[in-house]
Amino acid sequence: MSLLTDLINLNLSDHTEKIIAEYIWIGGSGLDVRSKARTLPGPVTDPSEIPNWNYDGSSTGQAPGKDSEVILYPQAIFKDPFRRGNNILVMCDCYTPAGDPIPTNKRYNAAKIFNHPDVVAEEPWYGIEQEYTLLQKDVKWPLGWPVGGFPGPQGPYYCSAGADKSFGRDVVDAHYKASLYAGINISGINGEVMPGQWEFQVGPSVGISASDQVWVARYILERITEIAGVVLSFDPKPIQGDWNGAGAHTNYSTKSMRENGGYEVIKKAIEKLGLRHKEHITSYGEGNERRLTGRHETADINTFSWGVANRGASVRVGRETEKNGKGYFEDRRPASNMDPYTVTSMIADTTILWKPT
């Protein structure tokens, strides 16, 4: 096994100009990340230097068998923490051979919104809090829980330390460092309220780059849990009952919100979000109705609300933002399995481009 480890850790840059590019894309479920590798002749610094590629869409639920070719367009580059050296991870989106985005390509429409001059002028910032649950591989039960049973009630586990309270820290810390190595603007981690559940935060990042980074951070986490022999779940309510669900709280600000007088801009933006509440909810993740019950630090899915420092509201404004009269707010509705391209672009569209009649 030591020889295998040595081969895996070979530094190619000492022997060849060639690099390995791992092309990453989103599969047919909208949450499954897929990838495959390709050798490139030398180091690259921009996605435009990377050739398009293709894959069998009939094997990912994205094309029929009789016309199965789907084309990968490279969109963002990250350093590869697994192969290291000059090797890279490449976030791609997916098109037909004719150049049309396939139905599961949510990045395409998001890019149109983020490239709109009015949105570009507002420099939207995002900070996305990605919660997730680690499961025991063979029984699909949360890490650290007795098989077929339950731990003690919630309370001791949030941001905890200790073998009886914190489960999976090695996976979490490995992901933290690997994400920083890759160039993802991961800003922190913490243990969550339900044992076996964790969170990482990406941001602040501008526009569509926030979503590219979340997707690649998810991919890296999938790879690390693969190595560790645990299962990664983004289910918004992995355990029914008196246990917290898993969300992807999305913090947001525009240039106008961050400047003097921004609090009034924030309040107007929140009002617009309330007017489109149902439209947002339908795009904020599958199974979110199991999480947004009005309990466990959530608002009821059918009612829009907002408040200062209120974690039971749909949208929370921080005390510091209220005090300073400018800053950001937090949309607490997105589920852990949301598509960040959809959520971030919808928030920008509603708050910047949409004009209520």
Side-chain angles (χ1 to χ4, degrees), residues 267-324:
K267 288 193 287 186
K268 290 177 182 177
I270 294 173
E271 181 182 355
K272 291 170 77 175
L273 286 173
L275 293 173
R276 297 181 92 181
H277 176 64
K278 289 184 178 179
E279 184 179 342
H280 278 254
I281 285 296
T282 59
S283 299
Y284 272 21
E286 293 293 325
N288 209 11
E289 71 282 351
R290 294 184 281 114
R291 167 180 164 262
L292 295 181
T293 61
R295 300 182 63 215
H296 306 111
E297 301 182 69
T298 71
D300 180 81
I301 194 169
N302 296 309
T303 306
F304 182 85
S305 60
W306 75 278
V308 177
N310 183 358
R311 295 184 182 275
S314 308
V315 170
R316 181 185 68 88
V317 175
R319 289 286 182 201
E320 187 176 6
T321 295
E322 180 188 46
K323 178 183 176 182
N324 294 337

Side-chain angles (χ1 to χ4, degrees), residues 112-129:
K112 289 198 294 185
I113 291 171
F114 284 118
N115 288 330
H116 190 288
D118 293 349
V119 177
V120 172
E122 282 290 352
E123 297 176 13
W125 289 5
Y126 296 91
I128 298 172
E129 305 171 28

Side-chain angles (χ1 to χ4, degrees), residues 137-186:
K137 183 178 179 181
D138 295 326
V139 294
K140 302 294 178 68
W141 198 238
L143 205 62
W145 291 36
V147 176
F150 296 87
Q154 294 183 157
Y157 310 107
Y158 173 70
C159 296
S160 64
D164 59 340
K165 298 181 288 292
S166 180
F167 313 112
R169 190 183 298 277
D170 53 348
V171 169
V172 175
D173 274 353
H175 175 253
Y176 195 176
K177 288 187 175 180
S179 296
L180 285 171
Y181 178 95
I184 294 165
N185 190 25
I186 185 169

Side-chain angles (χ1 to χ4, degrees), residues 15 40 45 65 139 166 176 239 248 253 258 265 267 276 289 312:
H15 304 282
L40 300 182
T45 58
V139 294
S166 180
Y176 195 176
I239 304 295
S253 70
R258 297 187 294 268
V265 180
K267 288 193 287 186
R276 297 181 92 181
E289 71 282 351

Side-chain angles (χ1 to χ4, degrees), residues 23-174:
Y23 286 60
I24 301 167
W25 72 94
I26 302 155
S29 74
L31 191 64
D32 54 319
V33 282
R34 311 281 183 135
S35 74
K36 61 177 185 173
R38 178 172 183 169
T39 304
L40 300 182
V44 296
T45 58
D46 191 271
S48 63
E49 301 174 61
I50 304 172
N52 293 349
W53 205 10
N54 65 76
Y55 67 92
D56 172 16
S58 69
S59 295
T60 62
Q62 294 172 295
K66 63 182 181 181
D67 187 15
S68 64
E69 191 169 285
V70 178
I71 312 302
L72 293 167
Y73 286 26
Q75 299 291 357
I77 297 175
F78 299 85
K79 293 173 66 178
D80 187 338
F82 304 103
R83 296 187 176 107
R84 286 169 273 190
N86 291 322
N87 303 302
I88 56 175
L89 304 176
V90 185
M91 190 65 211
C92 305
D93 60 353
C94 306
Y95 297 80
T96 68
D100 299 316
I102 65 173
T104 54
N105 182 351
K106 307 303 182 185
R107 192 186 193 280
Y108 179 79
N109 285 329
K112 289 198 294 185
I113 291 171
F114 284 118
N115 288 330
H116 190 288
D118 293 349
V119 177
V120 172
E122 282 290 352
E123 297 176 13
W125 289 5
Y126 296 91
I128 298 172
E129 305 171 28
Q130 176 68 70
E131 294 179 343
Y132 60 94
T133 308
L134 298 175
L135 306 176
Q136 300 169 55
K137 183 178 179 181
D138 295 326
V139 294
K140 302 294 178 68
W141 198 238
L143 205 62
W145 291 36
V147 176
F150 296 87
Q154 294 183 157
Y157 310 107
Y158 173 70
C159 296
S160 64
D164 59 340
K165 298 181 288 292
S166 180
F167 313 112
R169 190 183 298 277
D170 53 348
V171 169
V172 175
D173 274 353

